Amino acid sequence: MALWARQASRWCHLLKAACAAEFRGRLRGCSSTAQACHGFAPRALLPSPNDVLPWRLQAYRHVSVGSCSPRDSAKDGSFSSPESNLPLPVKQEQTKPETLPDLNEKTLYEDWDDIPPSSALEEISEEEAVQIIAEPLLPLHSSTLRDYVDHSETLAKLVHLGVDLSQVEKRQKAGQLLLTLDFEKDIRKILLFLKDVGVEDNQLGPFLTKNPYILGEDLEALETRVAYLKSKKFGKAEIAQMVSRAPYLLLFSVERLDNRLGFFKNELGLSVKKTKDLVIRLPRLLTGKLEPVKENLQVCQIELGFQRNEIQQIVFKTPKILTASKKRLKQTFDYLHNIMGIPHHMLTRFPQVFNSKLLRIKERHMFLTFLGRAQYDPAQPSYISLDQLVTLPDEVFCTEIAKASIQDFEKFLKTL
């Protein structure tokens, strides 16, 4: 309806222009005759209903405004025809068909771009109203990123990449960060950087799930941190392994990374090479808190009674002991040393026993004691190493170490 209103306005404008042009032409044709007759006024021309227009609008209407002898006309109450008072050439000129502008549909549509936009207050029909497609409103507040995925190209692409938004939103201010980033402008360059560092394509999603904050880091700062690790003689494959296993590593500044490496070197008395090997095997030592590490070192030295050189060997062989639970560490040591009778130097040789579950150690030791085969002294026959005690599968342990069947082991466990 609004469109047809604008079309009608356009047509009226063109008709007025055509009428004005026709009026000026006829006025010039009557100028010579007007000089010969006093009191004669030019004929005014208005649109007539007889002219051809498809929409039946009035185009021209002839109106007589007087004659050369108005008194004679008034005698019989009639007006003489204007054509009778005009010379013959003028009459012929008036009978010529008039040419009007072509107002066909093609001409009108050519200037539609010039039509001003409709007002927001303009009424529209129901048919036009139902064709309006409104974009869904963006939630102002939400406790989950899922509500924003349909509105954010960045979130949609991250989901396609394998990022678990349900885990990301649990991290402080991580969801707000992702909503402020543009994928092409902010995120793509970080992804290319991670791939260049050595993070595999199928690991990008899990990596960003654990550390979405890297997407807000300055690219130049990230490159500087990688350059620092290379200056410390870390190879490209080693850096890739460290970054993949410790996603927060590249959030640490060069100064903090340098301080962390110096801490482990000085506290443990390790060489540069051994310090580097230590953090390659457990890179989260560089990103975790140092207080638990200091406490475990004190526990090993003061409560468990290990010497400094023994602690160096234990930590170098089993770095996880630095981040293990102090309670679990003391319980395991107590059972191995005080119940099983394993001396410190044997525990130093097989420190991986501290990574095993205490229940597993107890069950196997008690089964060997029941069979009379619990012998852990390498100087005695039928010696059983701590490594064999805790690392072998149950079937292998029973057949090769305990010299019994797995069924016997399972029946024994039911008696406990």
Side-chain angles (χ1 to χ4, degrees):
M1 182 175 294
L3 179 60
W4 281 109
R6 291 194 293 269
Q7 289 180 357
S9 175
R10 180 65 177 172
W11 293 337
C12 291
H13 176 75
L14 294 176
L15 284 173
K16 289 180 180 179
C19 291
E22 176 64 18
F23 177 78
R24 288 192 296 269
R26 297 204 175 190
L27 185 60
R28 287 193 298 267
C30 296
S31 60
S32 59
T33 307
Q35 294 176 359
C37 181
H38 297 286
F40 179 77
R43 291 186 300 169
L45 299 178
L46 293 177
S48 170
N50 297 324
D51 289 311
V52 282
L53 282 177
W55 46 85
R56 300 178 61 84
L57 291 177
Q58 292 185 357
Y60 292 100
R61 183 166 56 90
H62 299 283
V63 178
S64 301
V65 295
S67 63
C68 291
S69 52
R71 294 180 180 179
D72 297 336
S73 300
K75 291 179 181 181
D76 56 0
S78 63
F79 289 94
S80 60
S81 175
E83 286 80 355
S84 61
N85 298 322
L86 296 178
L88 183 60
V90 176
K91 293 183 180 180
Q92 294 177 353
E93 179 180 352
Q94 294 299 321
T95 59
K96 291 181 180 180
E98 302 296 333
T99 302
L100 296 178
D102 185 9
L103 299 181
N104 57 26
E105 184 179 359
K106 181 178 180 181
T107 304
L108 292 175
Y109 275 89
E110 289 178 354
D111 294 331
W112 274 11
D113 292 339
D114 298 332
I115 299 176
S118 59
S119 172
L121 301 178
E122 183 178 353
E123 294 184 2
I124 62 175
S125 65
E126 293 184 2
E127 291 77 6
E128 293 175 320
V130 297
Q131 295 178 2
I132 298 177
I133 301 176
E135 294 293 335
L137 296 177
L138 184 69
L140 297 179
H141 301 283
S142 178
S143 59
T144 175
L145 289 174
R146 180 178 55 187
D147 295 337
Y148 296 91
V149 172
D150 293 336
H151 308 275
S152 172
E153 180 184 4
T154 296
L155 294 182
K157 289 185 177 181
L158 289 176
V159 170
H160 183 71
L161 197 64
V163 177
D164 188 349
L165 296 182
S166 65
Q167 297 298 319
V168 171
E169 63 192 18
K170 296 178 181 179
R171 307 185 186 278
Q172 187 177 12
K173 297 184 178 180
Q176 294 90 324
L177 172 65
L178 295 186
L179 290 174
T180 61
L181 297 177
D182 180 82
F183 189 88
E184 297 297 330
K185 179 181 177 182
D186 304 316
I187 296 180
R188 181 179 294 276
K189 60 184 179 182
I190 302 298
L191 296 178
L192 295 176
F193 164 78
L194 292 174
K195 291 183 63 176
D196 185 64
V197 169
V199 180
E200 299 293 336
D201 290 348
N202 59 352
Q203 291 298 317
L204 287 174
F207 181 93
L208 295 178
T209 300
K210 296 177 181 177
N211 179 21
Y213 304 107
I214 197 172
L215 297 176
E217 288 290 304
D218 181 69
L219 181 59
E220 184 176 353
L222 295 174
E223 293 173 344
T224 301
R225 294 160 196 171
V226 173
Y228 167 78
L229 294 176
K230 292 180 179 179
S231 70
K232 293 299 180 180
K233 308 303 180 184
F234 289 95
K236 183 174 182 179
E238 295 169 342
I239 295 175
Q241 177 182 339
M242 293 169 63
V243 171
S244 298
R245 296 178 60 186
Y248 284 95
L249 179 63
L250 294 180
L251 295 185
F252 284 69
S253 64
V254 171
E255 292 76 12
R256 294 186 67 182
L257 291 175
D258 192 66
N259 291 337
R260 289 297 180 95
L261 290 174
F263 169 81
F264 290 107
K265 180 179 182 298
N266 297 329
E267 286 291 323
L268 300 174
L270 299 175
S271 64
V272 174
K273 183 179 183 305
K274 287 189 175 182
T275 302
K276 187 179 73 172
D277 292 341
L278 177 70
V279 297
I280 288 175
R281 286 184 292 157
L282 192 64
R284 58 190 175 92
L285 289 175
L286 295 176
T287 61
K289 297 181 179 180
L290 294 179
E291 286 74 15
V293 174
K294 295 177 181 179
E295 292 176 359
N296 282 3
L297 289 175
Q298 292 178 353
V299 167
C300 290
Q301 186 172 2
I302 298 174
E303 299 186 38
L304 305 187
F306 287 101
Q307 301 298 317
R308 181 177 173 82
N309 62 327
E310 292 175 334
I311 294 176
Q312 290 178 354
Q313 296 181 49
I314 291 173
V315 170
F316 183 74
K317 293 179 180 179
T318 313
K320 288 184 178 180
I321 200 172
L322 293 174
T323 58
S325 166
K326 295 189 297 294
K327 180 179 179 181
R328 175 186 170 189
L329 187 61
K330 289 188 287 186
Q331 289 176 344
T332 302
F333 173 82
D334 181 68
Y335 192 86
L336 289 169
H337 183 68
N338 299 322
I339 304 300
M340 296 175 59
I342 309 297
H344 282 81
H345 71 275
M346 291 294 296
L347 294 174
T348 303
R349 288 182 58 189
F350 302 102
Q352 59 269 27
V353 72
F354 289 104
N355 289 335
S356 301
K357 294 182 179 180
L358 182 57
L359 179 61
R360 185 185 183 91
I361 297 174
K362 287 182 177 181
E363 291 175 346
R364 293 191 175 190
H365 170 70
M366 295 174 67
F367 186 56
L368 291 175
T369 301
F370 174 76
L371 298 175
R373 303 183 65 83
Q375 208 289 98
Y376 308 109
D377 185 356
Q380 301 296 326
S382 301
Y383 161 69
I384 298 175
S385 68
L386 295 179
D387 182 55
Q388 292 175 324
L389 179 69
V390 299
T391 59
L392 294 176
D394 286 343
E395 295 80 1
V396 179
F397 167 77
C398 291
T399 57
E400 297 185 7
I401 305 302
K403 307 299 183 183
S405 64
I406 185 67
Q407 291 78 14
D408 295 335
F409 182 52
E410 291 174 350
K411 289 179 181 179
F412 173 78
L413 295 179
K414 292 179 181 180
T415 63
L416 297 179

